[in-house]
């Protein structure tokens, strides 16, 4: 198995922008969001369980997971969120572990938005990289990116673990509070460090 760097950060902190920069340097990134889509493909066991648990409203007209409807539902109801996570997260973890075990690069990135909430399940990673941005910046990005109002954006930010908690488990931190171009240098420096750490 490759040397594994878990990449995390609060919603709208800029994880995807960092992930793209590692991939541009030839590093494979395995994303929990990609895994989350893969495990609920039509015909999957997970999608059938979601439909049984949450009813037909959980699916769209094409029989796929209705992400917008489910997102609204779980942010309004913590018990629904816990139930959905109980169905999806074990399958997501298995998908990610399988991907990492098949990786043959110098190291790989495991992108996990909710790593802080699920740290014990990823005790096997070698390093934790946190992308950090102030709450106000994240709320502004969310309203622009998702076309939602500031109140819902603030609720989505508040639903995650605190910024302090995330930073407390970081081995490395990239501050992303300005222009994305500033990320290039930070990622290049970490890439050099990780290649050195990963080489036997």
């Amino acid at each position: 198995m490759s040397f594994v760097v878990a990449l995390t950060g609060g919603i709208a902190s800029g994880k995807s922008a960092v992930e793209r920069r590692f991939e541009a340097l030839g590093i494979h990134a395995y994303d929990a969001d990609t895994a989350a889509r893969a495990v609920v493909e039509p015909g999957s066991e997970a999608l059938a369980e979601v439909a049984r648990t949450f009813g037909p409203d959980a699916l769209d007209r094409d029989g796929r997971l209705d992400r917008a409807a489910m997102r609204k539902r779980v942010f309004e109801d913590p018990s629904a969120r816990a139930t959905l996570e109980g169905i999806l997260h074990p399958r997501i973890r298995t998908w990610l572990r399988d991907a990492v075990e098949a990786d043959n690069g110098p190291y790989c990135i495991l992108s996990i938005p909710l790593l802080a909430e699920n740290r014990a399940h990823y005790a096997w990673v070698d390093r934790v990289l946190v992308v950090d941005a102030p709450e106000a910046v994240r709320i502004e990005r969310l309203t622009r990116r998702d076309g939602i109002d500031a109140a819902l954006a603030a609720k989505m930010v508040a639903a995650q673990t605190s910024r302090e908690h995330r930073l407390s488990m970081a081995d490395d931190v990239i501050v992303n509070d300005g222009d994305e171009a500033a990320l290039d240098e930070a990622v290049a420096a970490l890439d050099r460090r990780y290649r050195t750490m990963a080489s036997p």
Side-chain angles (χ1 to χ4, degrees):
M1 189 162 75
S2 285
F3 185 87
V4 184
V5 179
L7 170 67
T8 193
I11 191 166
S13 59
K15 294 178 302 297
S16 298
V18 169
E19 186 179 322
R20 283 193 302 273
R21 281 160 173 80
F22 277 108
E23 288 180 316
L25 296 170
I27 298 303
H28 294 130
Y30 304 105
D31 195 307
D33 291 338
T34 302
R37 285 189 290 275
V39 301
V40 291
E41 279 294 305
S44 68
E45 188 185 309
L47 187 64
E49 191 173 339
V50 170
R52 278 196 307 273
T53 305
F54 291 97
D57 291 349
L59 306 182
D60 65 17
R61 280 184 304 214
D62 299 324
R64 293 182 168 275
L65 184 68
D66 188 333
R67 295 183 178 283
M70 286 305 295
R71 180 167 62 180
K72 189 169 188 295
R73 195 159 166 181
V74 300
F75 276 112
E76 289 171 356
D77 179 357
S79 68
R81 179 181 178 179
T83 300
L84 183 64
E85 288 176 353
I87 295 169
L88 300 184
H89 284 191
R91 293 173 169 101
I92 291 168
R93 288 194 292 271
T94 298
W95 189 98
L96 290 169
R97 184 74 189 240
D98 290 348
V100 164
E101 286 181 351
D103 188 80
N104 55 10
Y107 69 93
C108 67
I109 298 290
L110 197 60
S111 185
I112 309 170
L114 299 180
L115 179 67
E117 293 86 339
N118 295 281
R119 184 66 180 99
H121 294 293
Y122 295 97
W124 48 272
V125 304
D126 298 293
R127 199 123 182 115
V128 174
L129 168 58
V130 171
V131 183
D132 183 49
E135 196 170 292
V137 171
R138 292 163 55 208
I139 289 170
E140 192 273 328
R141 284 178 184 158
L142 264 179
T143 57
R144 198 173 61 231
R145 184 188 82 186
D146 293 2
I148 58 176
D149 62 33
L152 178 57
K155 206 172 184 178
M156 290 167 75
V157 167
Q160 294 186 328
T161 195
S162 71
R163 187 180 175 194
E164 293 71 27
H165 182 212
R166 249 189 311 275
L167 289 170
S168 73
M169 63 180 208
D171 296 301
D172 305 294
V173 177
I174 291 179
V175 177
N176 181 31
D177 57 1
D179 194 292
E180 266 195 19
L183 297 174
D184 293 343
E185 197 176 318
V187 170
L190 285 171
D191 174 63
R192 289 191 294 272
R193 182 189 302 173
Y194 296 153
R195 285 175 190 270
T196 301
M197 293 174 86
S199 60

